[in-house]
Amino acid sequence: MKPIKKFLALCLLLFGIPFSTVMIWEIINPKTAPKDKNDAVAALIILTIPSTFMGGWLSWSLVQQNKREQALLVESEQKRIGLVFLELAENNSGSITVLQLARNAEISTPEAKEYLDEKAKELSADFEVNEDGNISYRFSL
């Protein structure tokens, strides 16, 4: 459906905008005969303005649809990471490292660190540093 909407929007805009411009030029041109001006007004009202409006509306609806789809993808990804987080917390007695979350959730280490920092604030986690300097987030279960 999306390709059809895109194609229709493109066709309507490619028809409406140039022909609207030509019709407006005909209307404001002092050399145009009064009958031709009336024809230009009719063409503008009947053909070009509606097609331009419909093409613009279809384009706007496609942009809104893409925004909704993107928001759903982000929400779904956050839920997936949340499930991985809960599983790791349960399996490791509440102790999780950035690398564990990054590897298991298949996300980058900066993303994993940001997620764990947010969860640590939200859930009042403790931090432990091992001999190698790695930080372990400790969440109470």
Side-chain angles (χ1 to χ4, degrees):
M1 185 67 170
K2 236 183 195 182
I4 294 171
K5 263 185 160 178
K6 284 181 184 180
F7 179 74
L8 264 172
L10 180 67
C11 289
L12 289 168
L13 288 172
L14 286 176
F15 171 78
I17 292 172
F19 284 111
S20 291
T21 306
V22 170
M23 293 305 115
I24 290 170
W25 173 250
E26 287 293 314
I27 293 167
I28 62 172
N29 186 355
K31 296 181 183 179
T32 305
K35 182 187 179 326
D36 291 339
K37 283 188 182 191
N38 288 340
D39 291 344
V41 168
L44 187 69
I45 292 171
I46 295 169
L47 296 174
T48 62
I49 289 178
S51 66
T52 304
F53 174 77
M54 287 300 295
W57 180 79
L58 282 172
S59 298
W60 181 81
S61 72
L62 282 167
V63 167
Q64 296 304 310
Q65 183 179 357
N66 282 340
K67 284 181 182 179
R68 284 189 302 272
E69 288 172 358
Q70 191 64 30
L72 285 173
L73 283 174
V74 168
E75 182 183 336
S76 150
E77 179 66 4
Q78 286 299 318
K79 284 182 180 178
R80 187 186 69 76
I81 294 170
L83 290 173
V84 170
F85 166 78
L86 291 173
E87 184 180 322
L88 283 171
E90 187 177 311
N91 292 342
N92 298 319
S93 303
S95 180
I96 305 173
T97 66
V98 172
L99 290 176
Q100 284 176 323
L101 182 62
R103 183 180 57 240
N104 287 287
E106 298 176 355
I107 58 176
S108 68
T109 51
E111 286 178 284
K113 181 171 179 6
E114 182 181 334
Y115 185 87
L116 286 172
D117 287 343
E118 288 175 18
K119 282 295 185 186
K121 288 178 190 172
E122 180 184 328
L123 301 172
S124 303
D126 292 323
F127 301 94
E128 296 174 357
V129 180
N130 66 11
E131 307 84 40
D132 299 329
N134 294 325
I135 299 172
S136 179
Y137 295 76
R138 178 153 301 285
F139 298 91
S140 344
L141 296 179

